[in-house]
Amino acid sequence: MAQQKKMVEAITSMETDFAKWYTDVVVKAELCEYSSVRGCIVFRPYGYAIWENIQKILDERFKATGHQNVYMPMLIPESLLQKEKDHVVGFAPECAWVTMGGEDTLTERLCVRPTSETLFCEHFAHVIHSYRDLPMLYNQWCSVMRWEKTTRPFLRTSEFLWQEGHTMHETAEEAVNETLQMLNIYADFCEDSLAIPVLKGEKTPKEKFAGAEATYTIEAMMHNGVALQSGTSHFFGDGFARAFNIQFTGRDNKLAYPFQTSWGVSTRLIGGIIMTHGDDNGLVLPPAIAPIQLVIIPIAQHKEGVLEKAKEVFEKVKPIARVKLDDSDNSPGWKFSEYEMKGVPLRLELGPKDIEKNQCVLVRRDTREKIVVSLDELETAIPQALQAVHDGLYEKALENRKNRTWDAHNWEEFQSIAAEKSGFIRAMWCGDEACEDKIKDETGLKSRCIPFGEEPVGETCVCCGRPAKKLVYWGRQY
Amino acid sequence: MAQQKKMVEAITSMETDFAKWYTDVVVKAELCEYSSVRGCIVFRPYGYAIWENIQKILDERFKATGHQNVYMPMLIPESLLQKEKDHVVGFAPECAWVTMGGEDTLTERLCVRPTSETLFCEHFAHVIHSYRDLPMLYNQWCSVMRWEKTTRPFLRTSEFLWQEGHTMHETAEEAVNETLQMLNIYADFCEDSLAIPVLKGEKTPKEKFAGAEATYTIEAMMHNGVALQSGTSHFFGDGFARAFNIQFTGRDNKLAYPFQTSWGVSTRLIGGIIMTHGDDNGLVLPPAIAPIQLVIIPIAQHKEGVLEKAKEVFEKVKPIARVKLDDSDNSPGWKFSEYEMKGVPLRLELGPKDIEKNQCVLVRRDTREKIVVSLDELETAIPQALQAVHDGLYEKALENRKNRTWDAHNWEEFQSIAAEKSGFIRAMWCGDEACEDKIKDETGLKSRCIPFGEEPVGETCVCCGRPAKKLVYWGRQY
């Protein structure tokens, strides 16, 4: 127990210092490590395995909806980046620039891709000729680089891993449908696989992606009430197509510009998982993406028959869950603490007395609830318990969001909630960027989104009092 | 048939101009496209799908042998690259350098990783403390950048995709075993999955990886007799460990330096597949990595019942092979030509007369052999036919290598074979780099490897006539 105590003491409590708790968890759970490259992290095996599980689920969903993977160069010539004017203004300030190749200074500098719209457009211009080539539904898994001033593991790093979908369509309507389809895939993934409830909505013009006509977003709320933009999906109209001269011969035999989308989620989702579900004992992982879903810990393993039985149980469970048997020399208490820190959703304890009764004890990571289960019923009990952990995590996160969401009907109310509470404020907005700026400057809250399908909470702008039709969620953000 | 003729005419014959044939195939089969970034290509869906299949098979083999995936930063500070002196000499001349971040000139320039030994070593120094932490068996899938002067799609590009394994071990013996284990995994993969026979052997000191104590290689021979180094596995001794001060407490409680390996294969394997198996009708893909293993082409598809039956067959075959049904309006002849260009291993033709007889026609891409098969026997006939294509490709490639391998016993013989033939020359070598240089300068042939387990072909160096114990394969290379 001394070791266990030491381990738990090693992380800061969430209530004491949420930021410190977060960095303690990412290090102690061995998700990542700092590198000597400014703002870049090393993804350690346990952290990378979470990303591989995320990739696997999303990649299947992308392919099931007709998308194909491709790979574009990691460098973008400056002249190519400049072709779409809003886009370059948005991204140039945070580009890392390659200016030398071997011993030679380059005649044109190249940026390490911060996103790949320009490369995809150059390619689309070569391969799209006719309406028969459309829709073109591409996705790319890669790393991107944005020269950030302040960084935090997973949430904001100079380099991060992501996927970026890029599609081209015959009509604007079809492209908008694609944009929303992918937003829904992201939202379903967050809820079904990560147990993270998300708001779906549209970004205000000020918060749109550089070069987009409309940006849709899923917004999650972290345990401390701070928002995390967890995925975005953009409708570009034909703006990039015109800038890159991408044209196709339509069904009417006339040349036309296609309509474009792009959409992405990144390794910041790992940060979202940590901050949505974690607690003072460490990480808590949703079962769908947990590298280890169940850890078997033998009790009094030196006693005859315990390890043999544990191995038997391991073999039985292997086909139905990602399972690990820890038969190392560490004490059970040390192991409990270790796998709690690593957020393993279920622990299976098996000792001599359990074996006598042909049973074991399942312990949920989220609630620590213990269930005694017959060894003959593991095949049904384990999937049920994993589902219960998932459902429990989701409900708790949803409850937290409900408890931390307030309506503000006037400016005083808005200011007082912003000053006293941490969470989302729902308030009406006139649509004027000046009001959005004032809210940001005076309260630190930014617009999260104009939510889909929610009723207005008033008729006038919370900031200026003029008539307002748009309901907006406001919040602090990572 | 006019369309078919046109399509075939569109590629240069191998005999006329092998290099032109190669670039015609990569473009016409839609594997890749050129980009505006010097020496970088766009991996199109069909080319990238081949890489995904390669990744899937190798990743399973790596994990089955205890390796874990991680991800290191894509940039390396110059001071880190310089820590191991041979390594920096080897790689610095071909690095792309980031010198600016946003608007700011960096105080230290960063290279886009050409390989990641230095980053792994920096990390190992942080996480290796005790013999209990060893072996540490890591792998990374990523892209790397080497500023090449002349480039050719897949074979030599400034950016390429690869995997790099990096491992640390308690003893030199264990590290050497790992080096050879991974070489064997590569060799088995080439033979079992790519149908490419490879030579296994050790590189001469001159051809070793920068910083390695020993480099092992698998060497394949392309259809035209030119060699392709297809994978390498390096034993580093403890050289990097000393340079990076990586130490662990041993079983004897004393500090020691661990022993290191690294190993990699890259997207140049796709180039190897093209040049080993392709023909004048285009690509020929080994079934294990073909994105489409079988294409179903309905004949007279406007006739009643043909498309229905084709769909029925498609559903039947789906669980056992990656299958595509092409029911587009193009003529059967156009389709035959298209999927031959794309190297699809098997074609299934199904017309009204076949349907009457409850049969179909399977056509092998490699031999064009036709087999009439009962529709009731597809589940056995298709896997058999795919295996037959694999075996046929492998045998043909092995035959080509045998026919293009010669023994040279003296300098005149060596020179005359080198001048008249294209392929491998087996000849004895004294071990002196001066002889290796002379052979290169006078014949253009470089040492491929000192092969494992082959008998000497003489007792004296083919170049200088002094006593020689080492048999070496020599050849031109990509």
Side-chain angles (χ1 to χ4, degrees), chain A residues 132-150:
Chain A
R132 286 186 198 86
D133 300 321
L134 299 174
M136 201 160 268
L137 306 174
Y138 285 171
N139 177 59
Q140 165 169 288
W141 292 97
C142 65
S143 75
V144 289
M145 175 79 61
R146 296 177 189 177
W147 212 249
E148 301 281 358
K149 296 242 186 306
T150 52

Side-chain angles (χ1 to χ4, degrees), chain B residues 372-428:
Chain B
V372 176
V373 173
S374 158
L375 293 181
D376 299 328
E377 287 165 9
L378 288 175
E379 283 95 335
T380 50
I382 287 171
Q384 272 171 13
L386 290 172
Q387 185 62 48
V389 172
H390 173 89
D391 294 344
L393 292 178
Y394 183 82
E395 287 308 321
K396 196 174 148 203
L398 191 61
E399 194 65 24
N400 184 54
R401 190 178 79 190
K402 281 184 189 158
N403 292 341
R404 289 178 181 274
T405 302
W406 298 272
D407 293 356
H409 304 90
N410 57 57
W411 186 229
E412 289 66 41
E413 210 178 351
F414 193 103
Q415 283 181 301
S416 96
I417 299 169
E420 289 161 25
K421 314 280 194 183
S422 175
F424 291 157
I425 302 182
R426 302 189 335 140
M428 300 308 290

Side-chain angles (χ1 to χ4, degrees), chain A residues 112 220 297 310 325:
Chain A
V112 181
I297 299 180
L325 165 61

Side-chain angles (χ1 to χ4, degrees), chain A residues 162-335:
Chain A
W162 81 344
Q163 60 69 219
E164 44 180 322
H166 296 270
T167 70
M168 280 292 194
H169 305 264
E170 214 178 325
T171 65
E173 189 192 357
E174 196 186 300
V176 169
N177 287 344
E178 165 81 5
T179 314
L180 294 172
Q181 171 185 252
M182 300 322 289
L183 189 79
N184 285 327
I185 284 178
Y186 288 158
D188 292 348
F189 170 73
C190 283
E191 309 206 4
D192 300 344
S193 300
L194 306 185
I196 299 177
V198 292
L199 293 174
K200 291 189 272 192
E202 186 173 350
K203 285 284 182 191
T204 61
K206 181 185 165 74
E207 298 293 328
K208 277 188 322 189
F209 181 85
E213 276 196 16
T215 288
Y216 301 95
T217 180
I218 49 169
E219 300 281 328
M221 184 192 282
M222 303 297 99
H223 182 76
N224 63 347
V226 177
L228 188 75
Q229 177 180 302
S230 304
T232 47
S233 186
H234 316 291
F235 169 62
F236 287 103
D238 59 5
F240 274 82
R242 288 176 186 273
F244 284 81
N245 198 30
I246 306 166
Q247 287 185 295
F248 69 97
T249 307
R251 290 170 203 271
D252 58 1
N253 223 23
K254 287 182 188 155
L255 278 179
Y257 294 102
F259 295 85
Q260 187 173 0
T261 85
S262 82
W263 28 275
V265 296
S266 76
T267 40
R268 85 181 326 212
L269 285 175
I270 298 173
I273 294 166
I274 300 166
M275 292 196 300
T276 304
H277 304 307
D279 64 23
D280 281 350
N281 294 312
L283 203 57
V284 181
L285 290 178
I289 55 80
I292 305 166
Q293 295 175 310
L294 173 81
V295 60
I296 299 173
I297 299 180
I299 311 294
Q301 66 183 38
H302 57 282
K303 291 207 176 153
E304 203 190 318
V306 173
L307 275 182
E308 288 73 5
K309 197 68 181 180
K311 278 174 194 160
E312 202 181 287
V313 170
F314 172 80
E315 292 300 331
K316 204 167 180 179
V317 175
K318 225 167 116 179
I320 56 165
R322 292 186 289 271
V323 57
K324 177 179 173 167
L325 165 61
D326 187 345
D327 57 3
S328 68
D329 289 340
N330 296 312
S331 71
W334 188 93
K335 291 177 191 174

